[in-house]
């Protein structure tokens, strides 16, 4: 069975190139090398240059060179038409010899250590350096006939470069040069018993350069009556896939291989395309206009660019020296094959199809269960998928999923990386309010910067439509006895309080039915405070929650019990106050901002602590379970603070507590709500990292929704996981009274099982040019970052190599592995950047909570800087997670990466994807396990008996030596 790749990145053959005439002609170019998974190394991107993150902040790169590796002896390869292009596959080994690696960018992510893991077997999809796409088994056979340069591995670390090719009659596999007679330097196809992928023979395992050989590029041909092995390493994983696929077809069908291919999938696909063409050729002329043919293909594959389709037809006509713009059926089918077949999906299909050009219902069942993690799969479910996604009627009738149907399925919402279970409210909503993270907005009325920017009601509309559950209203006296909203002591414009309340009433529960918190920063006179009360009571009415808290309770009510309610967070008079108005302390973030503007470089941590103002009783009575109070210190709060009292923390002060008192901060937030607002330094409306405060349990981390970038990506992605309702249940370790958790832990979390996350970036589709790029043309040089955000022990990042001048379907084929110590607080962010940019490098991103990842082969939809979905732009990835179904690791379900007692190891059976053999041997697994248990149990029993015997003899000797009077009784 195909297993997911681990920590190391694929390299061009994974072997150091031996000295020879061909190697000497190769010039190393940044970006040709392939990056290591766990180590993050590889060529591309240039060295040490500055770059910008998606929000425009300058970030500097460091240099990271790979460790050197010595050269091994080998024979020089013969000159061949493909030598120059194939030789590019050696760039990884050249990089090991001292070439600069991929620069690792510095970022907010720290402590990304301990990521190097043992590399695991994987299905690989790397792209060939040729224009011709591999889209069928016949393409594989043709490539084998043309030949490829492969490395022949022998014992004692010997490596020989040979040129392998398949005879035109498909009867023999030959290689040259060789000291043997030409008739001996060959293998008869009919003598081949098995084609084995990876480094899975004794010669590979005993070879001194085993660790330098890429698992993806290695394969072995088992042949002859004595089951000899011919162990080979290709210059790329794609070439290895071609030989493995082609040889397996030849083993199964012999000289009739091409006839079989022609009579199955090609015939089915051709029939479908012919029928579609005939429907377009209404006059039965045998040809259609070029514009119709282009639109036809674009309708079938909307992500393709019109000019690319036109260019392909024109190239075909030019090769045939054809004039005119009419397109025949044969030309239409040929161009469709070329443009609409994704080779990485084709190679995946043949891994599961038992050497067929389509998946039948049983093949699809195996794929759905083993890779996609689907439970209780039946043939009926497989048939439903085929009926839904297979475009050819013949395939639907016969229960066959062709490459086109398989592509349709993999690009459908069914194979989205985001678990659909999390698209609706799926968490327990009956916990106290303090047990949830709450989607929160800072100065919601501002749509630009904090000092001169305009205020607008669209800020509230946008935030509420995005699921925000805590908005801010900074209210001041306005003209005509109408309160206004703006940031005091600044040059921001004003909006009328009443119009904001109208908008809140209209959109409060547009995206979520759970309670909305209005953070009221009141600076009004008593007269206009009463106007505020009138507007809120009249407009919001019964939605206002004014019920007094129950003093006998210890925790806030739940979101479930507060559905449809609006909570006012503001200052409140004491419960025993009897007057009409009273004196309370002021919270003036605007004054803090003003002070910051006047004092550059001086950070204000406590704002206007001595200032007080008059509060009317009517407004005080609207505040129920969110009374604003000033924080003093943790021990005072633990003893005196009431559960309905809320403290607000400046970002700087909150960071201080997070670093100096992380355990106390977490414990504080188990019972009380804490609101964190941005530092006054952030006049440009930039955002703090919400993860810095979520890890401490802070529920209300106020974000500037008007500013896109990494921080808002994290905030938006995080709150997707519970139906985007604005509330996310915190990890149990942050809620349970008896548990202890330090926010700054840099190791495993006690009581939490870490998990290993394997991510393979296979390919990308339809990458647009960065919006702000000043470069001419539409060509991009994309590369991908995979970032892990969470507690310090989890934060890490890895990047792929750069794919030059390919934004349509770049094949990255790189694997990474991360240990996730607190999965409930971790997020994964995919970022696609342009390595050849002028002005802007950001192409797209997608941020997803770890708990929402689906295992298996998935597509990741890319989003723009401002959060819009980029049409048809995506990443194709493979995800595997320990303790979860799917990902090609059914035998690893239930495993944990926690350190502890070593588990019992069982022999495993490697799947060959040859049904007749696999079905014979799969029944042997349980007897093997039973035999292992029997042996281990017997050994444990014998060891226990030996220990008892040794202990008895030791006791007997001791008694004899010291003359113990109770010797006889102790020996019994």
């Amino acid at each position: 069975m195909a297993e997911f790749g681990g920590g190391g990145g694929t390299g061009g053959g994974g072997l150091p190139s031996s000295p020879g005439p061909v190697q000497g002609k190769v010039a190393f170019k940044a970006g040709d090398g392939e990056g290591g998974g766990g180590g993050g190394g590889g060529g591309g991107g240039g060295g040490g240059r500055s770059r910008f993150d998606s929000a425009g902040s300058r970030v500097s790169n460091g240099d990271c060179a790979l460790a050197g590796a010595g050269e091994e002896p080998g024979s020089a390869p013969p000159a061949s038409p493909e030598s120059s292009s194939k030789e590019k596959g050696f760039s990884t080994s050249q990089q090991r010899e001292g070439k600069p690696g991929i620069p690792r960018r510095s970022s907010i992510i720290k402590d990304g250590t301990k990521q190097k893991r043992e590399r695991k077997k994987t299905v690989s999809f790397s792209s060939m350096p040729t224009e011709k796409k591999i889209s069928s088994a016949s393409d594989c056979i043709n490539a084998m006939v043309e030949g490829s340069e492969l490395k022949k591995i022998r014992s004692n670390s010997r490596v020989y470069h040979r040129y392998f090719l398949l005879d035109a009659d498909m009867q023999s596999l030959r290689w040259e040069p060789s000291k043997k007679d030409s008739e001996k330097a060959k293998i008869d196809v009919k003598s081949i018993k098995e084609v084995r992928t990876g480094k899975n023979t004794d010669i590979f395992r005993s070879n001194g350069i085993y660790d330098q050989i890429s698992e993806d590029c290695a394969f072995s041909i088992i042949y002859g009556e004595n089951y000899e092995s011919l162990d080979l390493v290709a210059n790329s994983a794609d070439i290895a896939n071609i030989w493995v696929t082609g040889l397996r077809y030849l083993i199964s069908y012999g000289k009739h291989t091409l006839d079989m291919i022609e009579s199955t999938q090609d015939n089915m696909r051709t029939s479908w395309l012919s029928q579609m063409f005939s429907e377009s050729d209404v006059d039965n002329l045998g040809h259609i206009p070029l514009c119709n043919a282009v639109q036809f293909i674009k309708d079938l594959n909307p992500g393709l660019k019109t000019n690319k389709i036109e260019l392909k037809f024109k190239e075909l006509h030019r090769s045939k020296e054809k004039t005119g713009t009419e397109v025949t059926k044969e030309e239409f089918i040929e161009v469709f094959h070329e443009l609409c077949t994704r080779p990485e999906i084709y190679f995946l299909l043949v891994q599961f199809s038992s050497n067929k050009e389509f998946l039948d219902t049983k093949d699809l069942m195996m794929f759905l269960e083993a890779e996609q993690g689907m439970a209780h799969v039946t043939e009926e479910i497989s048939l439903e998928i085929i009926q839904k996604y297979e475009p050819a009627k013949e395939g639907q009738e016969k229960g066959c999923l062709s490459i086109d149907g398989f592509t349709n399925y993999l690009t459908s919402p069914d194979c989205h990386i985001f678990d659909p279970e999390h698209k609706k409210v799926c968490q327990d909503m009956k916990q106290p309010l303090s047990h949830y993270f709450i989607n929160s907005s800072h100065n919601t009325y501002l749509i630009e910067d904090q000092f001169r920017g305009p205020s607008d009601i669209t800020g509230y509309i946008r935030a509420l439509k995005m699921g925000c559950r805590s908005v801010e209203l900074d209210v001041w006296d306005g003209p005509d006895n109408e309160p206004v909203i703006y940031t005091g002591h600044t040059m921001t414009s004003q909006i009328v309080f009443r119009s904001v309340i109208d908008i809140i009433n209209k959109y409060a529960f547009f995206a979520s039915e759970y309670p909305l918190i209005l953070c009221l920063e009141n600076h009004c006179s008593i007269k206009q405070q009463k106007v505020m009360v009138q507007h809120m009571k009249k407009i919001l009415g019964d939605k206002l929650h004014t019920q007094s808290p129950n003093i006998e309770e210890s925790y806030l009510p739940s979101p479930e019990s507060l559905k449809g309610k609006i909570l006012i967070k503001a200052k409140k008079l004491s419960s025993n106050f009897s007057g009409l108005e009273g004196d309370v302390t002021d919270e003036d973030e605007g004054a803090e901002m003003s002070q910051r503007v006047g004092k550059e470089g001086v950070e204000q941590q406590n704002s206007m602590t001595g200032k007080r103002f008059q509060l009317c009783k009517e407004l005080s009575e609207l505040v129920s379970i969110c009374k604003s109070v000033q924080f003093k210190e943790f021990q005072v709060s633990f003893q005196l603070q009431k559960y309905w009292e809320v403290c607000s923390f400046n970002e700087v002060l909150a960071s201080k507590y997070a670093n100096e008192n992380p355990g106390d901060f977490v414990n504080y937030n188990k019972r009380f709500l804490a609101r964190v607002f941005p530092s006054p330094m952030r006049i440009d409306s930039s955002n703090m990292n919400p993860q810095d405060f979520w890890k401490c349990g802070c529920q209300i981390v106020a974000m500037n929704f008007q500013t896109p970038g990494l921080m808002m990506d994290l905030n938006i992605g995080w709150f997707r996981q519970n139906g985007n309702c604005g509330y996310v249940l915190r990890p149990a370790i942050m809620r349970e009274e008896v548990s202890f958790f330090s926010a700054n832990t840099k190791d495993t979390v006690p009581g939490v099982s870490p998990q290993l996350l394997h991510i393979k970036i296979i390919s990308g589709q339809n990458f647009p040019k960065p919006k702000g790029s000043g470069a001419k043309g539409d060509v991009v040089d994309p590369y991908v970052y995979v970032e892990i955000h969470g507690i310090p022990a989890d934060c890490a990042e890895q990047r792929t190599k750069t794919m030059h001048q390919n934004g349509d379907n770049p094949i990255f084929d790189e694997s990474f592995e991360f240990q996730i110590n607190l999965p409930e607080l971790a997020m994964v962010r995919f970022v696609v950047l342009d390595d050849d940019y002028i002005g802007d490098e950001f192409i797209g991103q997608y941020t997803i909570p770890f708990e929402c990842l689906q295992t298996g082969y998935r597509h990741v939809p890319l989003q723009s800087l401002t959060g819009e979905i980029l049409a048809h732009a995506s990443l194709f990835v493979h995800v595997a997670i320990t303790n979860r179904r799917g990902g090609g690791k059914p035998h690893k379900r239930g495993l944990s990466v926690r350190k502890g007692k070593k588990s019992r190891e069982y022999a495993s059976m490697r799947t060959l994807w040859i049904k007749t053999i696999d079905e014979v041997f799969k029944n042997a697994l349980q007897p093997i396990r039973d035999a292992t248990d029997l042996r281990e149990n017997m050994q444990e029993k014998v060891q226990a008996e030996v220990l008892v015997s040794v202990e008895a003899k030791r006791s007997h000797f001791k008694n004899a030596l010291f003359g113990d009077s109770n010797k006889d009784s102790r020996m019994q």
Side-chain angles (χ1 to χ4, degrees), residues 88 116 182 227 257 269 279 468-469 501 686 720 956:
K88 293 181 180 179
K116 191 172 183 180
S182 60
Y227 288 80
T257 297
R269 192 183 203 188
E279 292 174 1
C468 182
R469 295 289 85 195
I501 297 300
S686 61
R720 285 195 187 109
H956 178 73

Side-chain angles (χ1 to χ4, degrees), residues 874-945:
S874 64
L875 287 171
F876 185 41
V877 303
H878 182 272
V879 178
I881 303 172
T882 51
N883 297 335
R884 287 204 203 170
R885 298 176 60 90
K889 296 185 174 182
H891 58 285
K892 288 196 174 183
R893 294 173 196 161
L895 289 185
S896 170
V897 295
R898 294 181 65 189
K899 297 176 182 178
K901 184 178 179 180
K902 185 178 179 182
S903 60
R904 181 167 293 177
E905 296 181 357
Y906 295 95
S908 60
M909 198 76 71
R910 189 169 64 86
T911 304
L912 302 178
W913 301 113
I914 302 174
K915 278 189 176 180
T916 53
I917 297 177
D918 291 339
E919 290 177 359
V920 168
F921 284 96
K922 71 179 181 181
N923 294 327
L925 278 175
Q926 192 57 45
I928 291 175
R929 292 175 65 91
D930 294 340
T932 302
D933 288 335
L934 184 63
R935 182 191 64 191
E936 296 290 332
N937 293 340
M938 180 62 68
Q939 288 179 346
E940 291 172 1
K941 186 175 181 180
V942 170
Q943 288 173 354
E945 291 176 352

